[in-house]
Amino acid sequence: MNSEQRVKILQDLIKIKSVNGNEREVAEYIQQVLSEYEIDSKIIPYDENRANLIATLKGDESGLTLAFNGHMDVVEVSNPDEWHYDPFGAEIEDGVLYGRGATDMKGGLAALICAFIQIKTQQIPFKGKLMLVATVGEEIGMLGSKQLVDEGYLDEVDAFIVAEPSTAQRLYYAHKGSIQYELTAKGKTAHSSMPEYGINSIELMSDFIQQFNQTLAKRIQGKRHPEMGDTLNVFSVIEGGTQINSIPAETKMMGNARIVPQFDNQAMLDLFEELIQEMNETHEGQLSLNVMQNNLPVESQPDSKLVQVIQSVVENEVEVLTLSGATDASNFARLKQPFDLAIYGPGITELAHSVDESIEIADYLSFIDVFYQVAIDYLK
């Protein structure tokens, strides 16, 4: 496969509008490309128009299993008029390819696909298995990776390369977990001139926010991860009331907690439930919690075999770090077996989800060679 063919695969992926869905078309495209090189793959339906894909290359059965992972969905383009390029045109100018998902993360996914094909076509012997794992719904819900873990497809994996954008100089071996939630405060409406006949849901929510922030600050003391820092919480969306002269009967708030193992997901959820129960017993009105996403923190070893192999393959120095954001690896953390982890891929993190999202062609092509060599060396 030459460079033009490799670039065309990335362009084809970007042209498929898999915005928060429609990944089946991406999976079918990948399956078609793999079949051209006599590589079998399995499409695993998630729901209508959404499907994961897994392909496996098998070597000597005595070896390890390495999984290449990338997600097929992209975020929406909120205002196409702000773009200088067609968000789904995959246009190239001065060695840069533009399009939604170029960096996050169809660039990484395409690089994994090309490296996977190269290993098959060159027929280099290796031990163990190499898997290609393409998932749905990473951007909202991390749906595909959860399905694959729940259904046992990843039970034998010893190491994951998650090709999220990192640049060649940075590699992440751990990241925080993520809880996304909606909190509802129920009150009672009344005329604003007679507030004593109503229950103000905005005030109830405000009291909860203050109590929660004070209590969380106390609970996380002494529970800091040495590199990832503290568990934190952000109340990010709030909506309440319908009319300026009426007591608001309902207020909704959404937020996002970022979790480290020292104050874990269950500790955070327990705190919510504890304070909700306390306020429901002491205040008029009722609070309730809806957890929309609950992803675990994930942590491997910064000097794992996989990390060492990557550092030996890459010519430039690779800094090993932790990440505040979350990836599909959050669901891999629920696997029973320990595993090596490297979140490492082409593209610049800061360009993800941005206007005129892009990736340098040279960066993309170089990562194909890196992924190829890392797989060969890891599976010796």
Side-chain angles (χ1 to χ4, degrees), residues 20-24 44-52 136 143 147:
N20 298 325
N22 196 38
E23 297 97 334
R24 176 178 284 276
I44 302 160
Y46 180 80
D47 62 19
E48 187 178 1
N49 296 324
R50 310 192 81 171
N52 304 291
V136 307
L143 307 172
Q147 178 189 11

Side-chain angles (χ1 to χ4, degrees), residues 21-55:
N22 196 38
E23 297 97 334
R24 176 178 284 276
E25 186 176 349
V26 181
E28 290 174 347
Y29 172 79
I30 296 171
Q31 185 173 63
Q32 175 192 331
V33 170
L34 294 177
S35 69
E36 293 172 6
Y37 295 89
E38 300 181 346
I39 300 173
D40 293 330
S41 59
K42 179 180 178 65
I43 287 180
I44 302 160
Y46 180 80
D47 62 19
E48 187 178 1
N49 296 324
R50 310 192 81 171
N52 304 291
L53 177 138
I54 289 182

Side-chain angles (χ1 to χ4, degrees), residues 119-313:
I119 290 168
K120 170 65 186 321
T121 56
Q122 294 194 357
Q123 297 184 335
I124 296 176
F126 62 90
K127 297 179 181 178
K129 297 178 183 177
L130 177 64
M131 298 175 67
L132 177 66
V133 180
T135 55
V136 307
E138 190 272 350
E139 296 289 359
I140 298 178
M142 298 184 188
L143 307 172
S145 55
K146 182 179 187 301
Q147 178 189 11
L148 296 179
V149 169
D150 289 346
E151 296 181 7
Y153 286 98
L154 308 177
D155 284 352
E156 298 180 356
V157 176
D158 298 291
F160 290 92
I161 295 177
V162 181
E164 294 277 7
S166 67
T167 77
Q169 289 75 45
R170 296 191 303 238
L171 179 156
Y172 303 101
Y173 75 95
H175 66 65
K176 290 184 175 183
S178 175
I179 299 174
Q180 295 181 4
Y181 58 85
E182 180 183 66
L183 193 67
T184 301
K186 292 278 191 179
K188 180 182 176 182
T189 192
H191 197 283
S192 61
S193 66
M194 297 177 288
E196 65 273 18
Y197 292 103
I199 300 172
N200 194 317
S201 64
I202 290 178
E203 291 183 359
L204 177 61
M205 189 69 78
S206 176
D207 288 347
F208 177 86
I209 292 171
Q210 293 181 61
Q211 184 63 41
F212 183 91
N213 286 339
Q214 292 170 7
T215 306
L216 178 62
K218 294 176 182 177
R219 297 280 177 92
I220 64 174
Q221 287 182 7
K223 297 178 180 178
R224 183 180 180 85
H225 187 281
E227 294 187 42
M228 287 189 278
D230 292 320
T231 285
L232 57 86
N233 177 74
V234 175
F235 297 122
S236 49
V237 177
I238 190 164
E239 182 179 282
T242 58
Q243 190 164 308
I244 196 168
N245 62 344
S246 295
I247 300 299
E250 181 177 277
T251 298
K252 288 183 177 290
M253 179 174 67
M254 291 188 287
N256 187 200
R258 297 289 175 163
I259 310 296
V260 300
Q262 287 76 4
F263 191 86
D264 63 15
N265 295 55
Q266 192 57 53
M268 178 63 79
L269 293 174
D270 288 345
L271 175 57
F272 269 104
E273 294 297 345
E274 174 188 330
L275 294 182
I276 288 171
Q277 181 178 348
E278 179 183 310
M279 293 195 67
N280 284 346
E281 292 173 354
T282 58
H283 289 62
E284 292 186 305
Q286 287 288 304
L287 290 160
S288 61
L289 178 70
N290 174 34
V291 178
M292 300 185 294
Q293 180 176 308
N294 184 10
N295 295 114
L296 299 174
V298 61
E299 187 171 17
S300 180
Q301 296 299 317
D303 59 349
S304 69
K305 177 182 177 180
L306 180 60
V307 171
Q308 291 182 40
V309 168
I310 291 172
Q311 289 176 318
S312 70
V313 168

